[in-house]
Amino acid sequence: MNAQILSPLIIQILNGLAFSMLLFLLAAGLSVIFGMMDFINLAHGAFYMLGAYLGLTATQRLGNFWVALIVVPIIVAALGFALEKILLRPLYKRGHLDQVLLTFGLAFVVTDMIRWIWGADIRSVPQPPELTGAIPLGITAYPRYRGFVIVAGLVLAAALWAIQARTRIGAVIRAGVADKEMVGGLGINISLVFACVFAFGVGLAALSGVIAGPFLSLAPGMDAEQLILSLIVVVVGGMGTLKGAFWGSIVVGLADTFGKIYVPDFSLMVIFAIMAAILLVRPNGLFGRAVT
Amino acid sequence: MLQLTDVETYYGESHVLHGVSLRLEPGEAVGLLGRNGAGKSTVIRTIVGFTPPRSGSIRFFDHELAGLPSYKIARLGIGLVPQGRRIFPDLTVRENLTLAARDQAGGWTLGRVMDHFPRLRERQSQLAGTLSGGELQMVAIGRALMTNPRLLLMDEPSEGLAPMIVREIGAIIAELKAEKLSFVLVEQNLSLALDSVDRAYVMNKGAIVFEGTPGELLADEAVHRQYLGV
């Protein structure tokens, strides 16, 4: 193959991976929250969007993207911690329908507040000066910022994996996904653990939003699109596993990117077709455990 | 140290425990016997707070347990070996044991648990999901001991195990008894239970129908036939 065919292909694969990393940060929290508490958080996309807009303002006010990258997820995580305690905790024992209704409503409240504060115009976050330009890749070149997104996503995935697999809190979370009542019966305050996991997951969604800012554009509706894709990631990868969230994100991110190029009118359908095919072969997703 | 008084427990609308009262003194081993569905496991679930009682009282030393969340009950010193073992399959054997470890001077440590269960030492880095039934039961007992309980609740530790493994579990329970650990043992296996306890309660339809020593229970043909025979 010559460079004329190869280089657009490489660029699209990299674009797909960069998008996959944004999805992964969203789906990781969604999946563990679902796996552990059997809780469907449809407000997850709204926290992603909130992260993106707060990132915009923080970058403009502070003049520094990197500070925004640290501060915004912490603020949103704190908000998530409070919301979990006040609004969501009473719903764990109720059915999925109640959870869906409340979190969907919460998503509307958050996104309408964003529209009220920031307006409905399409906005974009300036790239940090360190990451403008392109990385030479031999036969082609790739935007430096998107390269950063891929590397940051991989580093975060590795860090999350290490936390889940190697630390005590990771063991508590894995145990909680399997049998949360029993974890409580051993003297661990599982409600507090879950509040922390929820806050952390929401913080990751906000981090995904901040990172997305200089890469995608900010507009009303960005939350719903990303929420749907990350829900598909959770289904494809299997609930409650980081590994599933990671590989599910790669599959969905690449499928979305290539679908939009080759069959732009049917790109979402391509993703659903892949999801259906995976579920036919593996009903619990790629790495999911049988749901009881 | 443990005193249940007139405990009534429901699963949703279905009334499962009807005025259960029982007690346990420090250092005592008490059996809870009866047929399937008699309510034995519900007594255990009620004590640990998984299915809190609707009325009645559960005293543990100076604390009232009814209404406390289960993690607080566990922290007061109640260790649980649950029915069905409920080992975390995605954790290694060592992680299962250390997850809930609460250190205490002179108490149970990972080393001491593994001295009791040498097989767990061999398998400590293995995922618990790959263990045999007998090994899982050892993890369940070891995991409860690692919380350094003042009272151990064991819910059918012999369930589903081969006779040889049941004897092994029986030997472990005998060791715990020799160490003066207080425990409640729920069992269908009558001989295992009566060999292990100082006193036994027999349950039927969610109520206590007999209380006595193993000798008294063995002598009482009627109780035997009515509530324990198959």
Side-chain angles (χ1 to χ4, degrees), chain A residues 60-74:
Chain A
Q60 286 171 340
R61 292 279 165 85
L62 305 168
N64 188 330
F65 173 77
W66 303 106
V67 177
L69 193 66
I70 309 273
V71 171
V72 170
I74 293 173

Side-chain angles (χ1 to χ4, degrees), chain B residues 29-93:
Chain B
V30 164
L32 197 50
L33 312 175
R35 289 207 181 91
N36 249 336
K40 310 180 298 290
S41 290
T42 307
V43 171
I44 302 295
R45 291 183 58 87
T46 301
I47 297 171
V48 300
F50 289 171
T51 313
R54 196 169 287 185
S55 68
S57 122
I58 305 169
R59 301 290 301 176
F60 182 59
F61 291 101
D62 297 332
H63 304 274
E64 175 60 48
L65 302 187
L68 285 185
S70 46
Y71 80 93
K72 284 191 178 158
I73 294 173
R75 284 181 189 178
L76 288 174
I78 294 188
L80 174 64
V81 180
Q83 186 175 34
R85 313 186 240 286
R86 297 175 73 170
I87 296 304
F88 308 112
D90 297 326
L91 272 62
T92 63
V93 168

Side-chain angles (χ1 to χ4, degrees), chain A residues 45 54 81 165-166 177 220 248:
Chain A
L54 285 175
F81 190 84
R166 295 271 178 264
V177 168

Side-chain angles (χ1 to χ4, degrees), chain A residues 7 33 63 84 104 156 159 165 187 206 211 214 225 233 266 269 271 289:
Chain A
S7 65
I33 289 166
E84 195 275 342
F104 202 51
L156 281 165
I211 293 176
E225 191 185 345
V233 167
F266 301 103
M269 214 182 77
I271 296 172
R289 196 169 265 290

Side-chain angles (χ1 to χ4, degrees), chain B residues 112-129:
Chain B
R112 197 171 149 212
V113 166
M114 285 181 172
D115 290 342
H116 266 73
F117 305 102
R119 203 135 18 125
L120 299 187
R121 177 168 279 137
E122 289 164 32
R123 310 207 170 222
Q124 55 176 305
S125 331
Q126 217 168 306
L127 286 186

